[in-house]
Amino acid sequence: MEDLHASAGDRGDANHNGVQRPTRRRRVGMREVAERAGVAISSVSRTLSGHPDVSEEMREQVMAAVAELGYKPDLLAQGLRSRASLSIGFVAGDISNPLSAQIARGAEVRLRENDYSMLLTNSLVDPELDRQNIELLEQRRADGLIVLLVSETHEPTLAALANLTVPLVVIERDLPPRIHASKVVSDHAAGVSAAVEHLLRLGHRRIGFVGGPDVRPTRQRLETAERVLASHGLDPRALIARNGLFSEEHGARATAEMLDLPEPPTALIAGSNQIMAGALQVISQRELELGHELSFVGYDDIAVAKVYRPPISVVERDLVAIGEVAAELLLTHVRDHTTEPQEVVMPTRYIPRGSCGPAPQQ
């Protein structure tokens, strides 16, 4: 039963309206654990750090006191002593993008398996926030950074990266040589090449490409499509390209523009999952039957690609695996104190589905 005569110090302070405000519980320190266990503070420290020179009896005494008092180690203090925070910073250009979310998920799981925590920041598709988040994570003493940047050319962001004193892994971006970084990228050429070859076999000779901003994935996808068409002796104008943001709005606007052309494309390739979502909105509004009136290829095998009718052909990559590899690469640099940049290229593949069919007869 609650003690109605408890003092204000026990119950909390009252404000001027007589409403009780609970006092903040004082953090239990290592000294209290040592006193409860009846041992020296140094013995508590050795036990909690896993030092081999601790007897089983000592370990049981200390751990019993830890459990009774609810002691939690001060990770900040430990980090200051060891000069390691056991945390990794992740800069996501847009966490609402399923790509960013899946990559971050893969990285976080792998880091957690290795006793590291992940500090996630979201740049809201603003390169200036990329810069601010990079500097913030370094101030928070992150042991390394994984970055999926909005822009490859925003000079303040590049300057912040060049000044980093911790290991850096960049995902799906090409950065200037002055930035000492390892990177994890996808072989976009493989998947896009297979997709364009498939459309050409189906008789398509006017292909629309809705791309994103001027970053590595967009460039490689567009260059690959152009190269495949040229290898078949087709005029470069056979590819109708509209680049913009990785966004549903750009996907919808560019798709509508292409479909309104005097000679619209008979097939469309969407250069990201968000662009794909916007393009499909327009296609649905116009009640176009995919695989018959228009063929369509999306990017990344997100849920909408599988549930749409007919299912959407996609260029697929393992986004979670990209995050896992990025985390593993960064941890190698952090633990081994290596600085030699490495590049890991992840595979892509084309999955044909019902959204692609023979080109309509003219």
Side-chain angles (χ1 to χ4, degrees), residues 105-125:
R105 175 188 170 195
E108 198 276 337
V109 169
R110 190 52 47 89
L111 291 171
R112 184 178 294 276
E113 290 172 351
N114 287 273
D115 298 323
Y116 278 75
S117 60
M118 189 173 82
L119 307 176
L120 177 65
T121 63
N122 180 18
S123 298
L124 302 172
V125 201

Side-chain angles (χ1 to χ4, degrees), residues 30-268:
M30 199 176 291
R31 183 179 299 279
E32 286 87 347
V33 174
E35 291 174 353
R36 177 64 62 91
V39 300
I41 293 179
S42 60
S43 298
V44 175
S45 177
R46 289 200 306 274
T47 300
L48 296 179
S49 65
H51 196 285
D53 188 24
V54 174
S55 68
E56 184 62 23
E57 180 182 2
M58 175 76 72
R59 191 189 70 80
E60 290 178 356
Q61 284 179 249
V62 171
M63 296 313 294
V66 166
E68 291 173 14
L69 296 174
Y71 171 75
K72 295 180 176 60
D74 187 337
L75 297 179
L76 178 60
Q78 289 181 358
L80 291 174
R81 288 193 295 271
S82 67
R83 297 186 179 180
S85 66
L86 294 181
S87 63
I88 298 297
F90 190 108
V91 178
D94 178 13
I95 200 62
S96 69
N97 185 339
L99 173 141
S100 299
Q102 290 295 303
I103 291 175
R105 175 188 170 195
E108 198 276 337
V109 169
R110 190 52 47 89
L111 291 171
R112 184 178 294 276
E113 290 172 351
N114 287 273
D115 298 323
Y116 278 75
S117 60
M118 189 173 82
L119 307 176
L120 177 65
T121 63
N122 180 18
S123 298
L124 302 172
V125 201
D126 182 348
E128 176 58 22
L129 285 180
D130 272 346
R131 179 196 65 78
Q132 293 178 24
N133 288 332
I134 289 163
E135 294 178 351
L136 171 66
L137 290 168
E138 186 171 35
Q139 291 167 4
R140 291 293 182 93
R141 297 182 179 272
D143 295 330
L145 264 63
I146 301 171
V147 298
L148 179 53
L149 300 173
V150 176
S151 169
E152 295 178 341
T153 58
H154 185 248
E155 188 53 42
T157 299
L158 298 180
L161 291 175
N163 291 329
L164 280 176
T165 58
V166 296
L168 171 67
V169 172
V170 178
I171 296 176
E172 294 286 17
R173 299 291 183 264
D174 289 333
L175 299 181
R178 76 176 191 270
I179 297 174
H180 207 69
S182 289
K183 63 180 179 179
V184 180
V185 297
S186 298
D187 180 13
H188 299 284
V192 172
S193 177
V196 175
E197 290 282 2
H198 182 224
L199 293 173
L200 292 177
R201 288 196 301 272
L202 291 170
H204 296 279
R205 295 298 180 268
R206 290 194 310 279
I207 299 174
F209 179 88
V210 186
D214 184 20
V215 291
R216 184 185 188 278
T218 299
R219 290 193 300 272
Q220 192 176 39
R221 294 163 189 166
L222 184 55
E223 290 168 1
T224 298
E226 292 172 340
R227 184 174 63 252
V228 172
L229 292 174
S231 71
H232 285 261
L234 295 175
D235 190 295
R237 289 173 293 181
L239 186 70
I240 307 163
R242 296 285 189 277
N243 288 343
L245 297 177
F246 287 133
S247 68
E248 291 186 21
E249 293 78 12
H250 168 59
R253 182 171 56 252
T255 298
E257 289 176 1
M258 289 187 185
L259 295 178
D260 289 337
L261 291 172
E263 291 187 289
T266 60
L268 280 179

